[in-house]
Amino acid sequence: MAGFTTPNLGLSVWPSGAMEPDIPVNATFQRLDALVRHGGIVQDVGTTTPPSVVSGDIGKSWVVGVGATGDWAGHDDDIALLVEVDLWAFITPNDMWRVGNIADETDYVFNGSSGWTAVTDGSGSGDVVGPASSADNTLVRMDGTTGKVVQGSGVTLSD
């Protein structure tokens, strides 16, 4: 029933005064299950070919990669929800939707202009390089203009 959906998740709703529950309730529950979890959980992000699935995979979802083929063609960046074996529902994300990717244990956030990007927590290998000797209790300063190399300043915190 086009036009009778919630604004954020696009869930089907009964129009006011409707007497017959002819809305696909199971499809709505599957959409909720796919999206409303701790950040949303997907099997993988960027997959371009629909995976081989079995009935135990019903309800799982994937983020469709750019240039997808087969049943996923034309659904770049959508969330592909398996509703029956070899039957997919596609959910177009809104900006700032966030999913957790089971495959690489990384969170991804959606930005309509740049697609899905990994969320970094700042704990990566880093590019800042410092002095080999200890700089304990001293302030550091940038060495050069790259912002990637630091050096001891010779100034201690007590100064």
Side-chain angles (χ1 to χ4, degrees):
M1 297 186 66
F4 295 106
T5 59
T6 62
N8 295 313
L9 296 178
L11 302 175
S12 299
V13 296
W14 281 274
S16 188
M19 299 302 288
E20 297 292 324
D22 59 354
I23 304 298
V25 174
N26 287 343
T28 295
F29 286 144
Q30 287 179 333
R31 290 173 75 96
L32 281 169
D33 187 62
L35 299 173
V36 184
R37 300 184 211 169
H38 176 67
I41 304 295
V42 296
Q43 302 303 302
D44 203 359
V45 171
T47 304
T48 57
T49 304
S52 178
V53 294
V54 296
S55 61
D57 294 323
I58 292 173
K60 293 181 180 178
S61 55
W62 290 256
V63 171
V64 179
V66 175
T69 61
D71 289 343
W72 290 4
H75 292 283
D76 296 0
D77 289 328
D78 284 352
I79 296 171
L81 169 64
L82 185 66
V83 294
E84 291 291 335
V85 173
D86 296 325
L87 179 61
W88 300 94
F90 296 95
I91 304 163
T92 301
N94 293 326
D95 282 350
M96 299 306 296
W97 277 21
R98 189 171 175 149
V99 297
N101 181 4
I102 291 174
D104 66 7
E105 298 181 350
T106 300
D107 283 352
Y108 288 78
V109 67
F110 182 74
N111 177 313
S113 61
S114 60
W116 292 94
T117 55
V119 176
T120 58
D121 62 5
S123 64
S125 61
D127 358 277
V128 176
V129 178
S133 61
S134 174
D136 188 32
N137 203 36
T138 64
L139 299 175
V140 296
R141 64 180 177 193
M142 303 314 290
D143 186 12
T145 59
T146 65
K148 296 182 178 183
V149 180
V150 295
Q151 61 177 285
S153 67
V155 177
T156 64
L157 292 176
S158 60
D159 291 342

